[in-house]
Amino acid sequence: MANYIRSFLELGLNDVGLVGGKTASLGELYSTLASEGVAVPNGFAVTADAYRDALSQPGVAEQLHQLLDGLDKSKIKRLAVAAAKARAVVYKAMDTAPIRDQILEAYRKLEREAGKGVAVAVRSSATAEDLPTASFAGQHESFLNVRGPKDLFEACRRCFASIFTDRAISYRIDNGFDHFKVFLSVAVMKMVRSDIGASGVIFTLDTESGFRDVVFVTGCYGLGETIVQGQVDPDEFYVHKPTLAKGFRRVLRRRLGAKQIRMIYGKRGGSHATLTRNVPEAERRKFCISDPDVLTLADIAVRIEAHYSKHAGAAMPMDIEWARDGGDGKLYIIQARPETVASQRSAEMFETYNLKGKGSVIVTGRAVGEKIASGRTRRIASARDLSTFKPGEILVAPATSPDWEPVMKIAGGIITDKGGRTCHAAIVARELGIPAVVGATHATEKLETGSLVTISCAEGDVGNVYQGAVAFDVTRTPVSAFKAPRTPIMVNVGTPEMAFRTAMQPQSGVGLARMEFIISEHIGVHPMALLKPKKITSAKARTAIARLVEGYKTPADFFIERLSEGVGTIAAAFYPKPVIVRLSDFKTNEYASLLGGEAFEPKEENPMLGFRGASRYSHPAYAEGFALECAALRRVREEMGLSNLRIMVPFCRTVEEGKRVIATMAADGLKRGENGLEVYVMCEIPNNVIQIDAFAQLFDGFSIGSNDLTQLTLGVDRDSDIVAFDFDERDPGMLEMFRLAVTGAKRNGRHVGICGEAPANYPEIARYLTQLGIDSISVNPSSVFRTMAAVREAEAAKDAV
């Protein structure tokens, strides 16, 4: 009699043909990585031979051919009828004595190890599954909290029958798989008590950009099915691989998810094997796992990726499921497979979507992908509404499920009320290459069927749904056409959310990382308000601040952690290339608009020339707040290990002011030259140019800020409707300022770059600066390619002289 059972200990990656990719992977983890600290629950596989032999019984294959041959999947009702009949055929065929007896004996063996009536997960695993070009994710059924031999055999039969779900049939047709050349195996694995713990998904790259140097961890309370099904907005964490490998154990960035529900064990077996319960508000406000747990999971994920990459002979980013047992407290890996979307993107073309117009935002959520699309919405409340969906419409739903995939494949975009970036809707949207905004609370209430909207996923982590058709364009640059100039072209980055995708395009690092956006968008509170809350007169502001800092030891810790994670994300994205972060350069009116800010800022007639930049840092009115900025930057360099971070001082009016700033930074733990710290200064005031020799004694480099330097040289407010036409960086006086700045810096052996848009807007300025021998040019990401072209041309002209 054929042996249909294999223990995990007997399986490895070479057994895909026998037990499918998912189960072969579990066997590989269990049998080879346990010694490296990767805990995997024990179990066994019912091999694909059981399925093959069941279908070889008289008349079974013939019935299936009659149902499936020539089936048109676009006829959804006919597909559903044929699929149901096919499942019934397989379910009946799997009921043989050899299959039943061997499954029950294997379960009894597991009971002897783990206890009578041990709960198991029963998961399907296709023999073509989890290959690098086809994930088969979610196509077949899985059953959780299955107990006892009778329920186990029933669950196994239903798993085998699920090879003919509507979605699985449709998926195979779309991907060119023959229904009769894909076979199913079933994995039976001891369940981890994550119902009283936590669980989630790990990717060894950033799912949206494909950036490879991070581990992305998501988590929620209870069983992890709620994440996959998009029923919860999970916690999210990033860990930076290169610095983790060097021993720096810090979470790079985190985001608290809503974690609305928890899936737990229900009654024994049947349709009530699992139940969902609401998570209390106090628990929702806490992360579901600790930083040490996140770092342990990242360690494990990196080891798994290295093992699979070695086996494959090429880099193999991974998609991993984890579970934390609430009983023993241990972290377990319950699945690992190659990531099949972001890692497979073609590197032949750089494609950038840019929003050109404006519109009112209806809802926001988590952006999936980097594209923009416009279309009419179609609100789908349940599977009963799917037949009304028309090609190109924007699908709006509470969440999606695998059964919806035939319709999702004709959608122009997807919007869901719930879910995170690893939910079903997000996974399918990435595979299809369409934009999706998930976790957009109240989307199904605010978006009625037939509304014209624009989905934008090109603005960072936050996905926006705009009213109407907002104009956008797409820039496609073939890699074959790209050639870098000798002069380094760097990028200006304002938002951490854009860092990973920007880092993947050609550039030489970050010439300007703006701290203000991180403070305004990710902190939102005036730093002095955190240090001196008694001075805040607004009760509303006090309440808002108290909610933001909840869970932190001190309000200052909130500011330091948020700022260091924002700056650290940018530094990590471009590591080990240089990243120059500019210290806060808000004007007083901008500082006053932060929570609690009005109590600490003077009202000025001309904030542009007022209490801003370097003048603030050692002033009694802001020195304590500046100390928080320094503490955050010190954390990035020393605790996160991102030593590529350089610091730049803005709007430094005089040499004496420069000396005070350098001394203040040193007192706050950022001493120039210590641990390789370089401190630059913005060259944006005429006095910076006039006294460049003196400033060069204090700073390691200069970055020309062409906007302010032009305003102050020509005496023109670029924001004034009346005189803005006189604002022109090409003015002869400005060209002389550029010349004096570049030659002066080089005379003193200091780095000199420019971080304004002038070289991108005017190719003649790019050529002029190149001829002067400027060390770097930093522009906005969308301007990189045209700036490189202008600089290459200038270099060629210079070489020809």
Side-chain angles (χ1 to χ4, degrees):
M1 183 174 66
N3 178 16
Y4 297 133
I5 303 297
R6 295 286 188 280
S7 72
F8 284 178
L9 200 57
E10 299 174 279
L11 295 171
L13 290 176
N14 294 324
D15 295 309
V16 173
L18 183 67
V19 295
K22 190 184 298 179
T23 312
S25 187
L26 283 169
E28 182 77 15
L29 293 171
Y30 189 84
S31 60
T32 65
L33 291 180
S35 60
E36 295 184 28
V38 180
V40 180
N42 197 7
F44 60 88
V46 186
T47 70
D49 289 340
Y51 175 79
R52 287 188 186 93
D53 288 356
L55 262 63
S56 68
Q57 296 175 82
V60 174
E62 288 80 358
Q63 291 180 67
L64 293 173
H65 274 291
Q66 287 174 9
L67 291 167
L68 300 170
D69 288 353
L71 183 64
D72 183 352
K73 78 180 190 70
S74 66
K75 296 179 178 177
I76 294 174
K77 289 182 179 179
R78 191 173 297 177
L79 168 64
V81 171
K85 289 180 179 178
R87 290 195 297 276
V89 170
V90 175
Y91 178 82
K92 182 179 179 182
M94 295 308 301
D95 188 12
T96 71
I99 296 173
R100 183 191 306 110
D101 293 345
Q102 290 185 40
I103 289 173
L104 299 191
E105 176 53 37
Y107 181 69
R108 291 189 193 101
K109 186 176 179 182
L110 196 60
E111 281 186 315
R112 289 194 289 272
E113 175 192 303
K116 189 168 179 61
V118 59
V120 293
V122 180
R123 297 180 180 272
S124 55
S125 182
T127 58
E129 194 167 5
D130 298 335
L131 298 177
T133 55
S135 69
F136 278 82
Q139 301 307 316
H140 310 114
E141 298 291 355
S142 293
F143 300 94
L144 304 178
N145 191 26
V146 178
R147 298 170 184 266
K150 181 180 176 182
D151 286 350
L152 173 59
F153 185 56
E154 170 69 11
C156 287
R157 289 177 69 193
R158 290 171 65 192
C159 251
F160 279 115
S162 74
I163 194 167
F164 292 118
T165 59
D166 303 18
R167 61 185 181 268
I169 293 170
S170 179
Y171 185 92
R172 287 194 294 272
I173 292 170
D174 287 341
N175 287 276
F177 288 100
D178 185 329
H179 296 305
F180 297 93
K181 290 184 180 177
V182 175
F183 306 97
L184 215 60
S185 163
V186 168
V188 178
M189 181 172 65
K190 178 181 178 292
M191 283 202 69
V192 176
R193 288 303 307 269
S194 59
D195 62 311
I196 53 172
S199 56
V201 181
I202 309 169
F203 286 90
T204 60
L205 45 53
D206 176 48
T207 52
E208 305 317 307
S209 64
F211 182 71
R212 299 284 184 98
D213 279 354
V214 288
V215 177
F216 177 48
V217 180
T218 66
C220 67
Y221 297 116
L223 304 178
E225 294 298 303
T226 54
I227 290 183
V228 177
Q229 293 170 8
Q231 294 179 289
V232 297
D233 177 18
D235 293 336
E236 295 180 353
F237 309 87
Y238 283 99
V239 178
H240 187 231
K241 292 180 191 174
T243 47
L244 182 70
K246 290 184 176 182
F248 293 95
R249 302 193 64 77
R250 286 286 177 190
V251 172
L252 177 64
R253 184 172 157 206
R254 76 204 75 213
R255 174 184 171 274
L256 185 69
K259 303 183 295 296
Q260 298 94 327
I261 59 173
R262 169 194 278 116
M263 184 178 282
I264 60 172
Y265 284 4
K267 296 177 182 177
R268 176 177 170 177
S271 59
H272 300 292
T274 59
L275 302 170
T276 57
R277 294 287 182 264
N278 291 331
V279 176
E281 183 67 24
E283 281 187 80
R284 291 175 60 180
R285 290 185 190 173
K286 297 177 183 177
F287 287 103
C288 64
I289 51 174
S290 66
D291 279 11
D293 283 341
V294 174
L295 294 164
T296 297
L297 288 170
D299 279 329
I300 291 170
V302 168
R303 284 202 292 274
I304 291 173
E305 181 181 53
H307 181 81
Y308 279 68
S309 297
K310 183 179 179 181
H311 187 274
M316 186 66 71
M318 298 297 292
D319 171 354
I320 301 163
E321 293 181 23
W322 64 271
R324 188 174 191 271
D325 194 303
D328 63 22
K330 289 183 180 178
L331 292 164
Y332 292 88
I333 299 302
I334 55 175
Q335 188 169 307
R337 59 190 177 204
E339 194 280 335
T340 59
V341 180
S343 59
Q344 299 297 314
R345 285 183 192 147
S346 170
E348 307 276 317
M349 186 83 67
F350 290 105
E351 188 176 73
T352 307
Y353 282 70
N354 295 298
L355 206 61
K356 294 177 71 179
K358 293 182 179 179
S360 58
V361 176
I362 306 172
V363 290
T364 64
R366 305 293 284 151
V368 177
E370 303 170 17
K371 296 183 177 179
I372 302 173
S374 297
R376 297 280 177 186
T377 56
R378 173 71 61 179
R379 194 163 56 188
I380 301 291
S382 69
R384 291 191 301 274
D385 304 324
L386 291 173
S387 60
T388 64
F389 197 85
K390 296 180 178 64
E393 290 183 324
I394 307 294
L395 173 64
V396 181
T400 66
S401 76
D403 292 322
W404 293 23
E405 287 181 26
V407 159
M408 295 168 77
K409 285 169 182 167
I410 59 173
I414 300 170
I415 305 166
T416 65
D417 288 336
K418 301 176 183 177
R421 284 164 48 189
T422 53
C423 73
H424 175 263
I427 291 169
V428 173
R430 277 188 214 103
E431 283 200 3
L432 298 175
I434 59 174
V437 176
V438 298
T441 309
H442 305 306
T444 52
E445 296 172 23
K446 295 181 178 181
L447 294 167
E448 296 181 358
T449 293
S451 303
L452 180 61
V453 300
T454 298
I455 298 183
S456 174
C457 296
E459 300 168 84
D461 280 1
V462 176
N464 292 307
V465 180
Y466 295 97
Q467 191 168 342
V470 180
F472 65 92
D473 62 16
V474 187
T475 304
R476 295 180 177 86
T477 307
V479 177
S480 57
F482 168 74
K483 185 182 177 186
R486 292 193 303 273
T487 305
I489 306 301
M490 306 174 83
V491 288
N492 302 332
V493 179
T495 65
E497 291 82 2
M498 298 296 288
F500 295 151
R501 64 187 68 179
T502 303
M504 294 180 71
Q505 75 178 51
Q507 38 67 32
S508 296
V510 176
L512 173 64
R514 301 181 186 90
M515 194 184 280
E516 301 87 55
F517 182 88
I518 300 169
I519 293 173
S520 63
E521 294 296 318
H522 295 265
I523 298 172
V525 184
H526 194 292
M528 295 301 292
L530 296 169
L531 296 169
K532 299 183 183 298
K534 290 181 180 178
K535 284 195 172 184
I536 304 170
T537 56
S538 165
K540 185 178 179 182
R542 284 199 302 270
T543 301
I545 292 170
R547 188 174 180 88
L548 283 171
V549 303
E550 185 180 353
Y552 290 87
K553 287 183 180 178
T554 69
D557 288 339
F558 160 76
F559 184 93
I560 292 167
E561 181 180 277
R562 287 289 182 92
L563 183 55
S564 64
E565 288 187 359
V567 172
T569 297
I570 298 172
F574 295 85
Y575 183 88
K577 296 175 183 176
V579 170
I580 304 169
V581 63
R582 185 177 68 190
L583 296 166
S584 65
D585 192 24
F586 282 130
K587 285 78 175 173
T588 48
N589 58 321
E590 294 167 334
Y591 264 119
S593 68
L594 297 171
L595 275 173
E598 286 187 359
F600 301 94
E601 295 298 328
K603 285 185 168 57
E604 298 182 302
E605 291 298 323
N606 191 350
M608 182 72 76
L609 295 178
F611 189 42
R612 62 175 285 204
S615 63
R616 298 182 66 95
Y617 305 147
S618 57
H619 194 284
Y622 189 71
E624 291 174 82
F626 181 64
L628 298 186
E629 292 185 31
C630 291
L633 297 178
R634 196 168 66 246
R635 184 174 187 261
V636 173
R637 284 181 53 84
E638 296 173 10
E639 297 180 31
M640 293 182 173
L642 295 162
S643 55
N644 60 322
L645 188 73
R646 299 173 186 176
I647 297 172
M648 185 154 65
V649 178
F651 220 75
C652 186
R653 294 176 169 96
T654 67
V655 173
E656 286 304 310
E657 193 168 71
K659 289 178 180 177
R660 287 197 297 271
V661 169
I662 291 290
T664 302
M665 288 176 63
D668 288 332
L670 289 174
K671 187 175 182 181
R672 179 187 165 210
E674 199 168 84
N675 299 321
L677 174 62
E678 293 186 15
V679 181
Y680 286 24
V681 66
M682 291 288 291
C683 186
E684 56 189 342
I685 299 169
N687 199 36
N688 301 144
V689 180
I690 295 166
Q691 295 206 73
I692 198 159
D693 294 324
F695 279 104
Q697 302 308 306
L698 299 176
F699 297 99
D700 297 292
F702 298 88
S703 183
I704 300 169
S706 58
N707 288 339
D708 273 354
L709 187 58
T710 303
Q711 286 193 107
L712 297 173
T713 299
L714 301 182
V716 174
D717 179 0
R718 70 179 186 273
D719 295 327
S720 166
D721 293 335
I722 299 174
V723 298
F725 60 85
D726 279 335
F727 183 91
D728 190 344
E729 296 98 327
R730 297 167 295 179
D731 184 275
M734 276 308 303
L735 296 180
E736 180 62 7
M737 279 290 188
F738 290 150
R739 188 189 70 80
L740 292 171
V742 174
T743 57
K746 296 183 86 65
R747 178 172 65 246
N748 287 279
R750 296 302 189 214
H751 176 98
V752 59
I754 186 168
C755 59
E757 278 295 283
N761 294 333
Y762 306 113
E764 58 267 45
I765 289 182
R767 289 192 290 269
Y768 180 68
L769 293 169
T770 303
Q771 288 164 0
L772 290 173
I774 198 164
D775 293 315
S776 65
I777 295 174
S778 189
V779 295
N780 290 333
S782 59
S783 305
V784 165
F785 289 106
R786 70 171 183 267
T787 306
M788 284 183 169
V791 172
R792 279 200 312 272
E793 181 186 319
E795 288 174 345
K798 189 176 180 181
D799 293 342
V801 174

